[in-house]
Amino acid sequence: MQSSLRFEASGLQIPHFAANVDLSSLAQGVLLTVDATIYPWVGEAFTLSIGADPYPSPNLTILRLLNDTNGGYGAFYALVDSTTGDDATGQVATARVDSATSPFATIVAAAGAIKDLNAAHHGRVDDAGGGVILLAEGVHALTPFKTEGHSSDIPLCIAASDPAKRDTTVLTDGGVNRFNGIPTRLRLRDLTLRKGGPNSVFLDSGAASAENLLIAENCAWDANEMGSYGAWVYRVGRFVQINCTASEGNDPRQGNSFSTEAIMVSAIGCKGCAGTITYNAVGCCDLDEFTLRAPVGDRPAMVGTFLGWNKFSNGSATNAIVAIRTEIGQRGFAFVGNIIESWGTSTNAALRLNADSDENPAQNIVFHNNTIAGERANLLYLDGAVNVPKSGSFRNNLFHRINIKSDIFSAQTSNTGNWPARYKVGWADNVAIAGSSNEPGYGASSWLGEFPSVREVAHIATPWVHDRSHSGDNTGGGSYVPAASSSLPKVAPENMPYSTDLFGNTPVAEGAFIGAVFSAA
């Protein structure tokens, strides 16, 4: 079943593929494994449980889920009210509404009480998993509770008692370093997370690998006029953000790296939350950069990365906005349904995909339905001294300029490894608005390629209603919706890979416009 999901934080939508699976015949209360078989562009098919990263990982791997079809796993609720609560009289409840009767004063005491009841009633010893700590409206200073909040599989959750009061239900570091202070698995929901000091360590579980997990859902990140600090969110392992937002003009950039510590971001439906150590991003807006990185310290290599239905925009970049410069092997790299907008003083490529003297093999790239506005896309170069294979599937993309360098230079006459890209094997329905950066047309020395691919078009008028890239008014923030009267070609309905774009538009009867945005304003 295909539908779409819309995220309030980013305002963007993503295609959603779901199946109805009856799990009632499987054992209640156990962790299930979801496996899959992958059929790459180059190479043999492989199964995730055998050929992908071992679980847990921020990369392509199996999924695990709790089978709680009858609700028997059990959950406890505890309210924390820093004004009226009392740790001596606070009580845990089996129903959310009943937790208001006897609130606790601190998170530490509430987590410890949940863990004790889990052991007494569910046999889960030293495990606060499944418990929910509800924070009353107000400001709560985080104090270390790693021991009290420990869980084996299912994270403890801390959430606003009233989701509608997210902006006034605040969890803060209080201006004090909280080293190794949170459980190895923790979920935060419907909270404002606020800096209390310019260089404070806030969320840190001491992770040295991907074993640890922090989930933030529908949270607002607030720098509190104190700027950014790379260790504010520190060693948390896998760091999944869902429908989160950064305060307007006050982004603490909590997705940025600090040294070589274990923090690995995946962002879903967020506004401005992904940073320099993002492994995967889907349905996010206000992203100013992405770099596919080699392994560093406690952070594993980014392998099998997926970036889909995002809006990247940068008006001051000195490097490429999206930059990939590492080997792409059997597990691939997918870039689908995105917009990249280059504007302002940005001068580098909007996209650098294994280009510019890159000597890494790259053979399993899926690059479909993207819009690159205002700057060039440098793709799969072989302009260095080494000849390696490079290829991919490029379909339904709207480029400003396409550059592919290879054996067209006298010093690289033997560099034929990227001929599949130069001769556009696996390409179809692409547009280069301004051709290439060196020659207007196709030819043996043109970076656009010697020949066009299937239904490829070069040199058309800028097709958008609001072009705010370098080719438009250069102010940023364009939507890149094609004008109904534009000469931009359409993709036939039978060649469309999914039914809605990142703005929720659907194809018209004769098909969808090439690029990330399917239909006209």
Side-chain angles (χ1 to χ4, degrees), residues 231-256:
W232 189 49
V233 179
Y234 194 26
R235 302 164 299 180
V236 296
R238 290 166 292 151
F239 179 19
V240 181
Q241 299 196 61
I242 305 169
N243 200 46
C244 292
T245 186
S247 298
E248 195 70 35
N250 200 23
D251 186 355
R253 298 185 66 81
Q254 78 291 347
N256 284 1

Side-chain angles (χ1 to χ4, degrees), residues 444-467:
S445 60
S446 172
W447 299 345
L448 184 59
E450 195 162 344
F451 306 104
S453 63
V454 176
R455 296 181 295 277
E456 181 174 311
V457 176
H459 297 286
I460 66 169
T462 303
W464 303 301
V465 176
H466 299 117
D467 181 8

Side-chain angles (χ1 to χ4, degrees), residues 48-74:
L48 296 183
S49 57
I50 299 173
D53 272 17
Y55 184 89
S57 171
N59 292 314
L60 184 65
T61 187
I62 60 169
L63 297 178
R64 296 179 72 188
L65 58 90
L66 175 68
N67 187 30
D68 192 24
T69 53
N70 65 14
Y73 186 79

Side-chain angles (χ1 to χ4, degrees), residues 48-300:
L48 296 183
S49 57
I50 299 173
D53 272 17
Y55 184 89
S57 171
N59 292 314
L60 184 65
T61 187
I62 60 169
L63 297 178
R64 296 179 72 188
L65 58 90
L66 175 68
N67 187 30
D68 192 24
T69 53
N70 65 14
Y73 186 79
F76 290 116
Y77 299 86
L79 178 68
V80 172
D81 190 319
S82 58
T83 302
T84 65
D86 188 332
D87 288 344
T89 59
Q91 293 187 12
V92 175
T94 56
R96 181 186 181 110
V97 66
D98 294 335
S99 65
T101 304
S102 302
F104 293 84
T106 66
I107 293 173
V108 174
I114 288 173
K115 189 164 67 171
D116 290 344
L117 285 182
N118 265 346
H121 293 274
H122 299 302
R124 299 198 294 270
V125 179
D126 190 27
D127 189 347
V132 180
I133 296 175
L134 301 169
L135 300 187
E137 184 181 15
V139 177
H140 302 261
L142 179 71
T143 55
F145 69 110
K146 183 171 186 175
T147 300
E148 293 80 4
H150 175 265
S151 63
S152 300
D153 294 302
I154 309 303
L156 175 70
C157 179
I158 300 178
S161 59
D162 184 349
K165 296 180 178 178
R166 179 192 72 173
D167 294 346
T168 51
T169 306
V170 179
L171 187 63
T172 178
D173 55 59
V176 178
N177 286 329
R178 308 295 184 181
F179 286 108
N180 206 14
I182 64 172
T184 54
R185 294 168 185 81
L186 179 65
R187 182 183 182 188
L188 304 173
R189 189 175 64 208
D190 302 322
L191 301 171
T192 291
L193 305 168
R194 181 173 295 163
K195 292 191 73 173
N199 298 309
S200 300
V201 173
F202 180 29
L203 301 172
D204 174 28
S205 63
S209 69
E211 183 66 34
N212 294 17
L213 172 66
L214 173 65
I215 301 170
E217 184 177 1
N218 195 35
C219 290
W221 299 93
D222 182 9
N224 199 21
E225 307 298 334
M226 295 181 184
S228 62
Y229 177 53
W232 189 49
V233 179
Y234 194 26
R235 302 164 299 180
V236 296
R238 290 166 292 151
F239 179 19
V240 181
Q241 299 196 61
I242 305 169
N243 200 46
C244 292
T245 186
S247 298
E248 195 70 35
N250 200 23
D251 186 355
R253 298 185 66 81
Q254 78 291 347
N256 284 1
S257 62
F258 184 85
S259 186
T260 59
E261 305 298 344
I263 175 170
M264 311 138 204
V265 177
S266 291
I268 303 169
C270 295
K271 178 181 180 182
C273 291
T276 59
I277 46 174
T278 300
Y279 280 65
N280 302 277
V282 179
C284 296
C285 72
D286 292 1
L287 306 183
D288 60 4
E289 64 178 325
F290 174 82
T291 301
L292 193 67
R293 297 183 180 274
V296 177
D298 288 330
R299 292 196 297 276

Side-chain angles (χ1 to χ4, degrees), residues 319-331:
N319 297 313
I321 297 172
V322 175
I324 290 82
R325 193 171 182 174
T326 188
E327 181 175 352
I328 299 175
Q330 187 179 32
R331 288 158 60 185

